[in-house]
Amino acid sequence: MAVRGCRRARGTAAPVITLFGIDAAVLLSGAVITETVFNLPGIGKLAVDSVTNADLPMLMGVTLVAATAMIVANIVVDACYALIDPRVRTS
């Protein structure tokens, strides 16, 4: 009986992991708004300040860090898919 419940849990874990991957993007974009409104130091405030001051090298750096964070989040989500569903191939 416990094995059957475990199989069902694996089938329902894929959408949850997908939402975690999407939430990574939402958290990063929400940081810009939250840090600007509440005047908190962080990568979102740094991005807004670099746009305001036309600091292109800093803006490119912030964009690079944000893109790297998103790529890492997507790789983690894909690795979790491979762990949960054996039909997913990691090649």
Side-chain angles (χ1 to χ4, degrees):
M1 185 99 173
V3 175
R4 185 180 300 163
C6 182
R7 287 185 190 150
R8 287 184 192 161
R10 284 188 179 182
T12 59
V16 173
I17 292 173
T18 303
L19 287 177
F20 283 143
I22 293 170
D23 283 345
V26 171
L27 287 174
L28 194 59
S29 63
V32 174
I33 296 168
T34 304
E35 291 171 2
T36 303
V37 168
F38 294 109
N39 200 19
L40 298 171
I43 194 165
K45 179 79 166 127
L46 183 62
V48 171
D49 289 344
S50 61
V51 168
T52 304
N53 297 330
D55 188 5
L56 292 180
M58 181 62 71
L59 186 59
M60 286 190 291
V62 168
T63 304
L64 183 66
V65 168
T68 304
M70 290 308 307
I71 289 170
V72 168
N74 284 326
I75 289 172
V76 168
V77 167
D78 288 342
C80 288
Y81 282 151
L83 290 174
I84 288 175
D85 193 0
R87 296 174 295 178
V88 176
R89 295 181 186 227
T90 56
S91 59

